[in-house]
Amino acid sequence: MHFCFEPMNAAEAEKLTRWHYQPPYQMYNITSNETLIRSFVDPENAYYSILDNGELVGFCCFGKEAQVPGGNYGKDSLDIGLGVRPDLTSQGRGQMYIADVLNFARSKFNPILFRITVAAFNERALKAWKKAGFQPVQLFQALDNKELFIILVRHISVDRKLW
């Protein structure tokens, strides 16, 4: 793996709130508040910092925190959320982030199916996840902001490493 994964701590959670994504990705901007920081560091929410030589370059989460209200989420899948620091996006490293997150998730949770939810307008994310072998299975409208989202899944083989 290229990156190191550590449970999210308060200092790293606070850094996420200072990340600023330019339009049309501004929906990913996070506003700091005490409740949100507590949520990021709560082990039950499964948030992890993605570090490159000790520097925060992204974050991921697993389970319910990676779901978008309004989607139809069945059993037997591990939901994944992934965010990359804004200044590191669009540099052709998407497959490296995805591969490391999936390998980390496989070793930590041992799922049989991965699931990711992506905003329908986010063509670069959709392209990256499809290139990683994910297939779209559902289009839905989020309950809160009515934004369209796509759920994609990927089955994994239990006898081989992903990449």
Side-chain angles (χ1 to χ4, degrees):
M1 285 201 300
H2 299 95
F3 303 109
C4 181
F5 294 81
E6 294 180 358
M8 181 77 62
N9 64 42
E12 290 162 347
E14 186 62 39
K15 285 180 184 178
L16 298 179
T17 68
R18 291 191 295 271
W19 291 0
H20 183 75
Y21 295 91
Q22 296 296 319
Y25 304 102
Q26 71 273 12
M27 74 178 285
Y28 300 114
N29 293 336
I30 301 168
T31 303
S32 180
N33 68 57
E34 193 174 312
T35 303
L36 181 65
I37 300 299
R38 276 198 307 269
S39 177
F40 279 134
V41 300
D42 184 343
E44 287 192 25
N45 293 334
Y47 277 91
Y48 292 86
S49 298
I50 302 173
L51 305 170
D52 188 2
N53 294 318
E55 181 182 352
L56 183 66
V57 296
F59 71 95
C60 57
C61 64
F62 303 97
K64 189 151 183 67
E65 288 293 307
Q67 297 176 356
V68 174
N72 183 10
Y73 296 95
K75 299 179 186 178
D76 301 327
S77 297
L78 177 64
D79 288 288
I80 299 170
L82 171 62
V84 176
R85 202 173 70 206
D87 63 309
L88 299 175
T89 61
S90 296
Q91 295 184 2
R93 299 178 68 186
Q95 292 308 300
M96 188 168 50
Y97 287 104
I98 291 171
D100 276 14
V101 167
L102 295 181
N103 282 320
F104 173 73
R106 182 175 176 209
S107 69
K108 181 98 177 138
F109 301 101
N110 196 28
I112 58 169
L113 186 71
F114 288 125
R115 184 169 48 208
I116 184 85
T117 304
V118 178
F121 78 85
N122 193 341
E123 294 179 17
R124 72 181 179 199
L126 288 168
K127 181 179 175 184
W129 288 101
K130 287 176 182 178
K131 186 175 180 180
F134 282 73
Q135 299 297 316
V137 295
Q138 183 187 149
L139 174 68
F140 71 95
Q141 194 172 40
L143 294 179
D144 56 357
N145 63 6
K146 306 302 182 199
E147 185 78 43
L148 286 177
F149 284 85
I150 299 173
I151 295 176
L152 301 97
V153 297
R154 177 187 166 165
H155 293 271
I156 65 169
S157 172
V158 295
D159 61 352
R160 66 179 178 89
K161 192 174 178 179
L162 294 170
W163 282 274

